[in-house]
Amino acid sequence: MAKKIYMTSFKGGTGVTTCCVGLGLALSSLGERTLIVDGDSASANALQTGGCPNLQVYTLADYAKGACRAKQTLISHPKAPNLSFSSSLSLTDKKAAERAVSELDGLFDYILLDKIALKTCDSAIIVTEPFLPSVKSADCCKAYLADGGIKDIGLIVNKINGGLIINGDIMTAQEIATLLHLPLTAVIPEDLALPLGKNKKITDRAFKAAAEMLTGRREAVCNVLRPYFGLNGFIKRKVREML
């Protein structure tokens, strides 16, 4: 039986899909059979972000119409053998996604649900940015999930800039987690190369650390502050301030 994790945020732009894909790739690299269910019915954003654009033959919309089985909606990642996607492109019947997830449950170790099929999940991860509007939104999201019966809720603090923390402009990820009374699942550094599909090494390490925490192989999140100390860190902070 797979561990099903609902990935979400109440605020747009926090990077839920990016974190879903990054975490899925990291889990698959650890040998965990992982499925990402793309909840974007308009543009299949997770498939685009994950490097599998236009590879779907059947989608969950076809499954809802009875045109295929749930297993036929699976899309294998071309470079990550343990990672699969299922697309909800054009899906209007959200309950069909719940039925499909239930059918696919036994095929995977982890199923990451990108804002879809909440009722099938036993846990959730809220993705937030380290800025006040996003943190306040995460608090509302936590209350919504708790009211819906989800007790196991984690937190990913995304787009952390170590320079802003050192300058006192934003809280640390640990402070945000303490404020929200949520366990910290991951700290993902600000990575301006992410939209280009060119993750920095520290970003890959951060997602790997998150995957290791989920699987019990690690007890601490990635340290994203270290690169901002010393002379090189000072130069990096000053350059980032000019961008």
Side-chain angles (χ1 to χ4, degrees):
M1 185 175 179
K3 182 175 178 61
K4 296 175 285 294
I5 304 173
Y6 184 71
M7 306 277 292
T8 188
S9 171
F10 271 9
K11 181 181 177 298
T14 60
V16 173
T17 297
T18 299
C19 288
C20 199
V21 171
L23 186 56
L25 285 166
L27 284 167
S28 69
S29 72
L30 295 177
E32 304 290 345
R33 298 170 301 166
T34 307
L35 169 64
I36 295 174
V37 181
D38 188 350
D40 187 351
S41 60
S43 58
N45 196 26
L47 267 66
Q48 299 285 338
T49 304
C52 300
N54 304 316
L55 293 185
Q56 68 273 9
V57 176
Y58 291 107
T59 69
L60 292 174
D62 298 311
Y63 170 79
K65 297 173 184 175
C68 67
R69 293 172 295 158
K71 191 174 179 179
Q72 290 176 281
T73 69
L74 297 179
I75 305 158
S76 297
H77 194 285
K79 295 182 179 179
N82 293 312
L83 180 62
S84 298
F85 289 83
S86 183
S87 172
S88 65
L89 199 61
S90 301
L91 179 67
T92 56
D93 181 7
K94 301 300 182 181
K95 289 186 178 180
E98 296 172 6
R99 296 195 301 272
V101 170
S102 297
E103 288 186 29
L104 296 169
D105 196 339
L107 300 177
F108 297 94
D109 301 308
Y110 287 87
I111 299 179
L112 306 180
L113 298 121
D114 186 1
K115 293 187 177 181
I116 193 169
L118 172 60
K119 291 183 179 180
T120 66
C121 297
D122 42 28
S123 62
I125 294 176
I126 299 171
V127 180
T128 184
E129 296 171 302
F131 308 111
L132 184 58
S134 187
V135 174
K136 292 182 71 174
S137 175
D139 193 34
C140 295
C141 188
K142 171 194 169 184
Y144 169 79
L145 292 171
D147 289 344
I150 303 294
K151 297 180 180 179
D152 182 8
I153 305 173
L155 181 71
I156 290 180
V157 182
N158 192 25
K159 304 179 185 179
I160 280 278
N161 181 290
L164 292 179
I165 292 176
I166 293 172
N167 292 341
D169 296 323
I170 61 174
M171 293 183 288
T172 67
Q174 287 78 8
E175 288 171 337
I176 293 171
T178 299
L179 184 65
L180 294 173
H181 301 287
L182 289 173
L184 193 58
T185 303
V187 180
I188 309 300
E190 180 186 56
D191 189 343
L192 301 182
L194 266 179
L196 301 175
K198 300 178 180 179
N199 294 15
K200 294 179 180 178
K201 289 182 179 180
I202 190 173
T203 304
D204 291 332
R205 289 199 300 270
F207 281 121
K208 185 178 180 181
E212 289 174 343
M213 285 190 67
L214 278 179
T215 57
R217 294 174 169 89
R218 183 187 178 111
E219 296 182 355
V221 296
C222 182
N223 185 347
V224 298
L225 284 178
R226 189 176 296 130
Y228 289 89
F229 288 107
L231 179 59
N232 288 338
F234 174 79
I235 295 172
K236 184 179 292 186
R237 296 200 303 272
K238 290 303 178 182
V239 169
R240 183 63 186 91
E241 289 173 5
M242 294 185 288
L243 294 178

